[in-house]
Amino acid sequence: MSLRRFRLLLRALRFDDSDTREDRKKLDKVAPIREMFDGFIDRSKNYYNLSSNVTIDEMLESFRGRCSFRQYMPNKPAKYGIKVHASVDSETYYVYNMEIYAGQQPEGPYKVDNSASAVIKRLIAPISKSGRNITCDNWYTSFPLANDLLKIHNLTMVGTVRKNKRERPPLFTQKLKERPINSTKVLVLQEMKKRVQTQSIPIQIKNRIHEITGTKQEKFEKQGVPGRCGYCDWRKNRKTKTVCGICETYICKEHSGQTVCVNCQNSIEEHSE
């Protein structure tokens, strides 16, 4: 195809029926490209599988034509254009889901809540309860949203938090020069003390937490109570009642010496040499 032919086709290209466009625009500002845009997104969600990490952010598609929801964003390279919220694969940068910001839509099926939490929940709907992680900037991030994603959708969130969020501790809003030395250590210690109560944490990590926080480890009588071997592959799901006499890790016959696990036995032999 020649360049002249390509430009001719480009000038005549239309995404929808211009005869019915004005009627459809009474319900949807994005009517001129709605069918094409939704079709593209549907195919993207059907034929692409996201990795374990997803990034959600806004982008500005350069556009200076007539548009009631055209945005001016001076910090973007294009400055003028159409704002789009997008969720993309953090590893391959492929787009998975998008939503055009059209401002306040007329009453009807396309009128939606444009708040940050509502946008996030619509974009993550196809991957809800998949155990993935969502990364976003401070416009989207909030503590209530992070809790909802974790408890309702089984998704984790990583993002920066603005100073004006009421859930943010006052200590974090102070300037560095105004903070006393080691002031944030108090918050870390509180989180570590809460974390050590989790039953699934390995005993080695729990011991280290007790050393840092200076707390006493509550003894739990494991002997006689069945548990999974700490050295076998989890797929084997090998249960045993034998516990190492030193590190208190569950050990099966394959990974035990006499009364201790193989790691503790090797450590004892190295020190004896």
Side-chain angles (χ1 to χ4, degrees):
M1 183 186 301
S2 66
L3 180 60
R4 183 177 179 181
R5 174 66 174 169
F6 174 76
R7 288 176 174 172
L8 174 64
L9 294 176
L10 191 62
R11 285 196 297 269
L13 186 62
R14 295 292 181 271
F15 294 113
D16 68 340
D17 187 358
S18 58
D19 294 334
T20 62
R21 183 181 302 163
E22 293 303 320
D23 292 334
R24 287 183 283 111
K25 286 177 68 174
K26 294 178 181 178
L27 294 176
D28 182 17
K29 294 181 181 180
V30 194
I33 60 170
R34 174 65 70 182
E35 184 177 355
M36 182 277 299
F37 185 83
D38 288 350
F40 174 82
I41 296 303
D42 289 341
R43 285 165 177 79
S44 179
K45 291 186 289 188
N46 290 335
Y47 299 113
Y48 183 74
N49 290 325
L50 287 167
S51 65
S52 57
N53 295 295
V54 182
T55 299
I56 294 181
D57 202 354
E58 63 181 21
M59 59 182 179
L60 190 71
E61 287 298 325
S62 177
F63 182 73
R64 287 181 175 266
R66 293 182 180 179
C67 182
S68 61
F69 50 90
R70 187 184 63 181
Q71 298 285 305
Y72 171 67
M73 304 177 73
N75 60 325
K76 301 290 185 182
K79 291 184 171 45
Y80 290 93
I82 297 175
K83 186 168 75 171
V84 180
H85 301 285
S87 65
V88 301
D89 194 316
S90 301
E91 296 182 6
T92 63
Y93 316 123
Y94 278 19
V95 172
Y96 181 76
N97 197 3
M98 290 192 296
E99 180 179 295
I100 295 176
Y101 174 74
Q104 191 70 18
Q105 287 270 40
E107 292 293 336
Y110 298 104
K111 185 175 183 178
V112 294
D113 184 0
N114 288 320
S115 65
S117 60
V119 171
I120 288 280
K121 290 176 182 179
R122 289 196 295 270
L123 291 176
I124 61 94
I127 58 172
S128 178
K129 302 185 184 302
S130 64
R132 290 180 169 88
N133 177 74
I134 309 298
T135 302
C136 49
D137 65 9
N138 58 17
W139 189 80
Y140 300 96
T141 308
S142 66
F143 290 97
L145 176 60
N147 288 330
D148 286 346
L149 292 182
L150 183 61
K151 295 177 181 179
I152 301 175
H153 300 282
N154 190 28
L155 299 171
T156 56
M157 170 181 273
V158 174
T160 54
V161 181
R162 290 180 175 177
K163 291 183 180 180
N164 59 359
K165 297 295 183 181
R166 67 180 66 181
E167 302 88 355
R168 182 171 176 169
L171 182 63
F172 285 176
T173 62
Q174 296 178 4
K175 296 180 180 179
L176 290 176
K177 294 181 179 179
E178 299 174 357
R179 296 183 189 175
I181 298 176
N182 295 328
S183 59
T184 56
K185 185 177 180 181
V186 178
L187 297 173
V188 175
L189 292 178
Q190 291 177 356
E191 182 62 27
M192 293 176 73
K193 290 178 181 178
K194 185 170 67 174
R195 179 72 172 164
V196 78
Q197 304 299 324
T198 306
Q199 296 294 332
S200 59
I201 294 179
I203 189 65
Q204 296 88 345
I205 297 179
K206 287 188 176 183
N207 291 338
R208 182 58 179 157
I209 292 177
H210 286 298
E211 289 179 12
I212 295 173
T213 58
T215 56
K216 293 183 179 180
Q217 182 176 359
E218 297 180 3
K219 290 292 183 180
F220 173 70
E221 189 60 39
K222 288 184 176 181
Q223 203 67 41
V225 180
R228 185 182 290 112
C229 177
Y231 296 95
C232 289
D233 188 279
W234 65 271
R235 285 182 287 266
K236 292 183 179 179
N237 196 26
R238 186 177 289 172
K239 298 293 183 65
T240 178
K241 294 183 179 181
T242 305
V243 179
C244 174
I246 298 177
C247 67
E248 298 186 353
T249 303
Y250 283 109
I251 47 176
C252 65
K253 293 182 180 180
E254 180 183 348
H255 296 100
S256 64
Q258 297 178 349
T259 57
V260 296
C261 65
V262 289
N263 280 1
C264 293
Q265 182 67 34
N266 293 337
S267 179
I268 293 172
E269 293 176 357
E270 290 176 1
H271 282 85
S272 62
E273 293 176 358

